[in-house]
Amino acid sequence: MAEKKKTTIVLFSGDYDKAMAAYIIANGAAAYDHEVTIFHTFWGLNALRKDNHQPVKKGLLESMFGKMMPQGPEKMGLSKMNFFGLGKVMINKVMKKHNAMNLTTLVDMAKEQDVKFIACTMTMDLLGLQKDELLDEIEYGGVAAYIGDAEDGNVNLFI
Amino acid sequence: MEATKVLDAKGLACPMPIVRTKKAIAELQTGDILEIHTTDQGSKSDLTAWAKSGGHEILKDVEEDGVIKFWVKKGE
């Protein structure tokens, strides 16, 4: 069999809609039988956060960051028309009506399709996120881990 | 047309029809025919492109009452 094609996505954004787009593309690419990597950095790391509180030791700044950032995909806001969370409630309704998958389901499905999740360790330090706060069974790396997958990638996106 | 398997993807939104199709076709043998029913209006372009990339052949597609039906022959 011919070597598999590769799709690599950098998820930088912590906006719900942008993360949805990233995960829809990832799932689509996996259905194309691509090897898919999503490299989560900066605000995009919040897509990997567990939605319940994790007892980890943190300094004051890190704790503040942790509290201010969305704890898991469903806590993320929209990039436009968020209206302090009201926009998110509205879009959830519309999504249900059109049978669109929410972000949590898209993340689960990506995992099921063997999409590789990488969390950027440098930005984890900056935002004060620890491994225990992120999903289990993900990989940790830096720019080299990403480039390693991206250099022979066929589709390469920054979202 | 005699389908080996029928996939009901009605009511599902992008990217589900293609994800389900991929799973369904993986369980078939080369030359088998998968019949797919969808209501997602984008699925015609989606399935056509997907089939071409994967070496499968779309034998026929029809649209009736908002439901699009495809017959895809599995490639090598």
Side-chain angles (χ1 to χ4, degrees):
Chain A
M1 207 177 134
E3 192 158 306
K4 279 192 173 183
K5 290 188 173 173
K6 280 191 184 178
T7 289
T8 52
I9 299 170
V10 178
L11 181 58
F12 177 94
S13 171
D15 294 326
Y16 191 81
D17 41 3
K18 292 187 184 180
M20 254 185 89
Y23 271 89
I24 288 173
I25 294 167
N27 277 297
Y32 257 77
D33 237 352
H34 286 199
E35 266 177 39
V36 186
T37 302
I38 308 178
F39 184 79
H40 300 74
T41 186
F42 280 92
W43 319 108
L45 285 167
N46 290 313
L48 298 176
R49 270 183 100 181
K50 291 174 183 158
D51 57 8
N52 51 347
H53 181 75
Q54 297 297 318
V56 286
K57 269 190 102 162
K58 282 190 187 186
L60 181 67
L61 261 176
E62 280 91 5
S63 293
M64 267 171 57
F65 258 86
K67 288 208 172 76
M68 287 191 300
M69 291 190 301
Q71 207 167 313
E74 297 312 313
K75 304 275 168 55
M76 289 174 163
L78 297 178
S79 65
K80 295 273 189 307
M81 306 206 303
N82 192 42
F83 305 133
F84 304 103
L86 193 65
K88 177 70 192 310
V89 174
M90 289 194 290
I91 205 150
N92 273 343
K93 278 203 167 139
V94 181
M95 277 165 56
K96 222 170 222 162
K97 185 177 151 205
H98 291 282
N99 233 340
M101 300 266 169
N102 68 17
L103 186 53
T104 308
T105 319
L106 286 166
V107 173
D108 290 346
M109 202 165 64
K111 202 191 270 173
E112 224 173 88
Q113 294 205 86
D114 293 323
V115 169
K116 181 156 97 183
F117 298 165
I118 304 181
C120 166
T121 48
M122 193 278 274
T123 42
M124 279 173 69
D125 289 343
L126 292 186
L127 303 181
L129 290 170
Q130 298 180 16
K131 286 185 179 180
D132 289 339
E133 293 177 273
L134 304 184
L135 298 180
D136 306 321
E137 294 160 29
I138 61 172
E139 293 180 27
Y140 297 91
V143 62
Y146 172 69
I147 297 294
D149 284 334
E151 69 174 353
D152 45 15
N154 304 79
V155 177
N156 191 1
L157 297 170
F158 184 96
I159 298 177
Chain B
M1 204 170 306
E2 197 63 36
T4 318
K5 190 173 177 177
V6 180
L7 172 69
D8 181 6
K10 292 196 291 292
L12 299 178
C14 176
M16 286 318 290
I18 217 80
V19 172
R20 292 275 169 84
T21 302
K22 191 226 169 186
K23 275 187 189 161
I25 214 152
E27 292 163 10
L28 299 181
Q29 308 291 326
T30 302
D32 285 354
I33 294 169
L34 177 67
E35 182 179 334
I36 307 150
H37 300 178
T38 75
T39 47
D40 175 19
Q41 291 306 305
S43 57
K44 189 165 177 189
S45 314
D46 278 6
L47 274 168
T48 307
W50 176 85
K52 191 176 164 214
S53 162
H56 312 298
E57 188 187 350
I58 295 191
L59 301 172
K60 191 179 148 192
D61 64 87
V62 292
E63 185 171 352
E64 41 192 51
D65 302 328
V67 179
I68 315 168
K69 294 180 180 174
F70 300 88
W71 285 266
V72 182
K73 189 171 160 189
K74 182 170 178 170
E76 301 273 328

